[in-house]
Amino acid sequence: MRLVLEPLLRFRYWLINRRVRRADLIAALESAEQTLRWADRLPEGRAAEQWRATFLNVIGFVRLEIGDVGGARTAFEESLWIEEELDPESPETARALNNLASVAYHQGDLDVAQARYEQAIALRAAIDPMSLDLADSLSAAGQVLSALGRADDAFAMYERALAITTATEPDSSAHAGVLTNKATLLLNRGALDEARSLFRLALDIETAVDPKSPATATAWSNIGLVSHALGDVDHALSSFQRALEIDMAYAPEAPRTAADHNNIAIILLDLGRFDDAIEHLTKALRIEQWAAPSSSATATAFLNAGYAHQLAGRPAAAVDDYRRALGIDAAIARSSRDVAFDLTNLGTAEHQVGNSDDAVHLLKQAVAMFEEFELPADASQAGTNLAFVLGESGQIDAAIDAARRACAAAERARVLAGHPDTREKLFALNQSPFSLLLDMLHERQGDNDGDEAFAVAEAARARSLADLLGERPIRSSLRDGAMALRLQEELALHRELLDARARLAAGRTDAQAVRDLEDRLAECRHRLRQDSPQYANAVTPEPVSASEARSQLSDDTLLLSYAEGTTRLHLWAARRHASAHVTVNISSADVVPLVELATAAYRRGEPGADEEELARAELADLLLEPIPEALTTDVRNVVIVPCGRLFHLPFEMLPWQNGVLGDVAAISYVPSVSVLHHGIRPDQAAARPFVGYAPTPLPGARTEIRRVAQVLGAGPQDVHTVATKDIVAKTISGAQQVYFATHGLLDDQQPMQSGLWCTPVPGVDEDPVLRAFEIIDVRIDADVVVCSACESGLGRLLAGEGLVGLSRALFFAGARCLIVSLWPTPDIPTRRLIVRFAELMRDGSAPAVALRLAKEQMRESHPQTFATPWTWAGFVAIGAAAS
């Protein structure tokens, strides 16, 4: 009998594994159970028991994969009993222990899981300290420790596992699995760039091994999690859908498939697709309750169901679901990230049903847990909710303290995120604590609350730009040597992305190909920073205080700093020796249509009429009237820190006194006072007065540049009417004033692909636009860069940052001040205005003063041409323009 059965058992074992690899799990399970019955017919003895344990392990594995966690546990327990009887220190016994630990983890019994993994690790380390089996146990144990809130211990496990897989099989699925677990912990802690890099590496490995495997599905799901954390819901949704497609083919009723449904449901809820989200949530909850009703995955399903009820205006139903989730998670681990999430959501729902005291108690617990586990992004969100509930309950001092802690946590999360571009995306999603704190400080109106409000506004804006400017010397130092290759790779990826987006627009590629390139670019930036020791010592610039800001003002300068509260704008108006914090009776959202109305005709290239004038008058009443009169006397310079759509509004055309504000004062704009203080300055003194570029056949452009050159005493060698990108890069450095008379190209989806048109290279198929991503590595030493291109001053508006795109790149490259346009202007008025500006600069005026006087004098000398703001107000000065 044995001689007949054993070859058959070996064949069936091979066949079952083949079916598992092909995702034919039900057939694999039926075959394994049938084969186990055959193994029972073997004569008693060691070989028979070994075969029984082998097929029990297979049955357990398949049952776990299809979601039958209880059935898997039964099979694994019987297998362990057999293996311990045969040899308690064998690799097979270690495997059985590992399998039972996995079941305990899925069922939420973390203490049992930890104990089983420790036994498996000890056995496997004794057998072979460099085996992939040991790496698997170490990595899985790290997951348990992470769930228990022991992040440092989890990291230690992952590092041990990575040391093994890196040395043995770095291209294996085992190595990818460890990378995934480490990246998940980094993601939870907020290290988004590092997490994304590891997830991407894991995805590449798993795709090469098997693009349709469950491990590949997990990798896609993790890419979705990072994208969601950064607010890229389209990328997140497509990644989760790819994971679901793979898992549905592999095991449609397994917990892993339920996790895909949960992930997709959250995105759909954020997109407002409520019915579709409920369909996915229902599927997820059904699977989880059948497979493992006491697991953290089931708790997650209840948590998401509660979120759906909250969005649908059913807070009482949300409370019930959140309590069920909390009950499950607290039974698994009384103090964990999952429990803190449950407390946060339950607290907000309790407040909505009127239980504010309970809400405060729950939210305080959540904040304490998140802070203990060093999860600043989560602590910021829970702290903001706590501050809101305390404020609604009339506890204003406690609310302000909670909001302060939430803002500090948001800043810690921002710094942890990685590259400044990643930081700005995360920070744009986490402006709520700053807006709430501004409102509360104004409500309380304590002695120092106005100055604190200014500091809060500075802490909430242009931080990533300040980081970039602070890191500019570091990037300059990388242009030579080995790291130069990293910069070249980054530039090449930018160009690949540009080409891919063009092919997407033409229907010659899909959106996922573009997203893959975006991920690769982000990974390249992360590696660049990771491989450059200089970045490790880079210090994030601190926002300037109110007193520091006032000390920088001249006696005749007024600073107007606008910031977004939760329901209305805030204004901090300051002179050198006095200031005021007032509110503006309009919300950031309501500003948008009003600014659009005031400027729409000009953007269309039309002079405008009464409608625009009325909108300008209303904006002046809202934005300028709240300024205390005592702060407006003897003002010659106004420095404005806009917010939101106010970046698209030239304040100089707003009615003021008997004319417009631009008649009274020289106006300049800055993204934040801190940016002006820390970073907007050229790296070295300019060597020559001027360089100008007129590379496109715009009417009058070449005449304008040649006339400016004459005014500034420059020679023909400094005027470039044939200006390829290479010529610009080679000639721009060392000029005190730089003038571009060319078309501007704006890209709101990818701001760093905005740019200025240059002269095409004959016979070369090269992009003729000098893109923002290319400008950042051009050395500029200019006091002023003039871009008389159409709409060169516009760009994407990002919460917490302001304008992103061309202006940022020019500042990074070394410009101190920019003169840019907010809308297209006619050729002749532009030429007259820019030439007069150059004459005033030559005579010693500061850029903002020169621009104001040029506008005023042109309106006086050519009243018909400059009768409408269309022809003069669109040119604005950004940066260090007042002196």
Side-chain angles (χ1 to χ4, degrees), residues 33 50 56 151 199 213 227 286 314 377 433 445 478 541 567 651 657 691 745 816 845 874:
E33 289 176 336
Q50 192 66 68
L56 283 167
F199 281 144
S213 71
S227 298
R286 176 181 55 77
R314 297 190 292 268
Q445 293 192 342
L478 301 179
T567 59
F651 278 63
Q657 297 177 356
V691 65
L745 178 69
R816 181 173 172 81
S845 294

Side-chain angles (χ1 to χ4, degrees), residues 463-650:
R463 300 304 306 282
S464 297
L465 175 57
D467 290 342
L468 281 169
L469 293 173
E471 293 176 355
R472 181 170 57 197
I474 297 175
R475 189 175 178 94
S476 297
S477 70
L478 301 179
R479 292 173 181 167
D480 299 317
M483 294 309 300
L485 296 176
R486 282 270 189 257
L487 294 175
Q488 291 173 14
E489 180 187 3
E490 180 189 32
L491 186 61
L493 283 169
H494 269 298
R495 289 171 175 158
E496 281 188 56
L497 181 58
L498 182 67
D499 180 63
R501 293 186 70 229
R503 286 186 281 112
L504 177 63
R508 290 186 285 112
T509 191
D510 59 17
Q512 188 58 51
V514 175
R515 293 174 185 135
D516 287 347
L517 275 171
E518 290 171 349
D519 285 345
R520 286 175 57 197
L521 177 59
E523 183 183 350
C524 174
R525 288 172 168 172
H526 170 66
R527 291 200 311 271
L528 177 64
R529 296 169 63 82
Q530 195 175 43
D531 295 345
S532 305
Q534 301 96 316
Y535 281 111
N537 301 318
V539 177
T540 298
E542 287 293 321
V544 301
S545 66
S547 60
E548 289 174 323
R550 284 196 297 267
S551 69
Q552 295 179 39
L553 302 177
S554 60
D555 290 336
D556 58 0
T557 298
L558 169 66
L559 172 64
L560 300 178
S561 176
Y562 295 86
E564 298 179 13
T566 56
T567 59
R568 54 188 172 174
L569 297 181
H570 291 258
L571 168 61
W572 195 80
R575 299 289 295 273
R576 188 176 180 86
H577 301 295
S579 64
H581 173 210
V582 297
T583 57
V584 178
N585 193 27
I586 190 172
S587 69
S588 179
D590 290 337
V591 161
V592 173
L594 200 52
V595 171
E596 182 66 21
L597 186 60
T599 60
Y602 309 147
R603 295 187 195 285
R604 293 193 303 267
E606 300 171 1
D610 294 343
E611 191 175 44
E612 287 74 25
E613 186 175 350
L614 290 172
R616 294 197 303 271
E618 186 174 354
L619 283 166
D621 288 340
L622 289 166
L623 301 173
L624 302 179
E625 281 301 316
I627 305 170
E629 186 176 352
L631 297 178
T632 63
T633 57
D634 300 323
V635 170
R636 294 182 179 276
N637 296 285
V638 178
V639 178
I640 298 173
V641 186
C643 66
R645 189 53 68 91
L646 295 184
F647 275 96
H648 289 173
L649 176 70

Side-chain angles (χ1 to χ4, degrees), residues 721-847:
T721 56
V722 175
T724 64
K725 290 196 291 187
D726 186 56
I727 289 174
V728 172
K730 290 179 178 178
T731 59
I732 199 170
S733 180
Q736 187 177 20
Q737 296 186 45
V738 177
Y739 285 69
F740 285 97
T742 183
H743 287 298
L745 178 69
L746 298 175
D747 190 327
D748 282 343
Q749 297 303 311
Q750 290 289 329
M752 294 306 289
Q753 292 179 3
S754 301
L756 297 166
W757 282 93
C758 294
T759 305
V761 179
V764 177
D765 184 18
E766 182 187 58
D767 174 32
V769 179
L770 181 62
R771 307 280 175 174
F773 64 77
E774 296 169 311
I775 292 173
I776 62 174
D777 283 323
V778 173
R779 187 183 297 277
I780 299 176
D781 314 303
D783 286 339
V784 62
V785 175
V786 178
C787 297
S788 59
C790 299
E791 300 176 292
S792 55
L794 297 181
R796 188 178 71 178
L797 290 168
L798 193 64
E801 284 298 315
L803 288 175
V804 178
L806 187 59
S807 59
R808 164 176 292 192
L810 288 166
F811 282 136
F812 187 92
R816 181 173 172 81
C817 167
L818 307 179
I819 306 297
V820 293
S821 60
L822 298 179
W823 53 67
T825 54
D827 174 56
I828 293 176
T830 296
R831 184 167 71 250
R832 287 173 176 169
L833 185 66
I834 295 301
V835 170
R836 184 58 185 140
F837 168 81
E839 291 172 343
L840 291 161
M841 285 287 294
R842 176 200 59 196
D843 295 341
S845 294

Side-chain angles (χ1 to χ4, degrees), residues 162-190:
L162 281 174
I164 295 171
T165 58
T166 302
T168 54
E169 294 191 35
D171 296 326
S172 68
S173 187
H175 184 61
V178 184
L179 291 172
T180 293
N181 288 342
K182 180 180 178 181
T184 300
L185 191 51
L186 290 167
L187 175 63
N188 292 341
R189 281 191 158 184

Side-chain angles (χ1 to χ4, degrees), residues 61 71 130 157 181 196 288 303 398 424 429 443 516 567 618 647 673 685 768 783 818 841:
F61 171 79
M130 291 299 290
M157 288 290 187
N181 288 342
R196 176 167 48 188
E288 296 291 6
L303 190 74
E424 75 181 12
L429 300 173
E443 179 183 344
D516 287 347
T567 59
E618 186 174 354
F647 275 96
V673 178
D783 286 339
L818 307 179
M841 285 287 294

Side-chain angles (χ1 to χ4, degrees), residues 99-154:
N99 289 339
L100 275 173
S102 179
V103 169
Y105 176 73
H106 279 86
Q107 291 184 316
D109 197 344
L110 299 188
D111 290 334
V112 171
Q114 183 185 357
R116 294 291 195 191
Y117 278 131
E118 286 177 352
Q119 291 177 282
I121 288 169
L123 271 179
R124 286 176 162 174
I127 295 167
D128 183 356
M130 291 299 290
S131 70
L132 289 180
D133 287 339
L134 175 58
D136 176 64
S137 293
L138 289 166
S139 184
Q143 287 183 288
V144 177
L145 292 168
S146 179
L148 288 168
R150 295 168 55 183
D152 291 340
D153 292 336

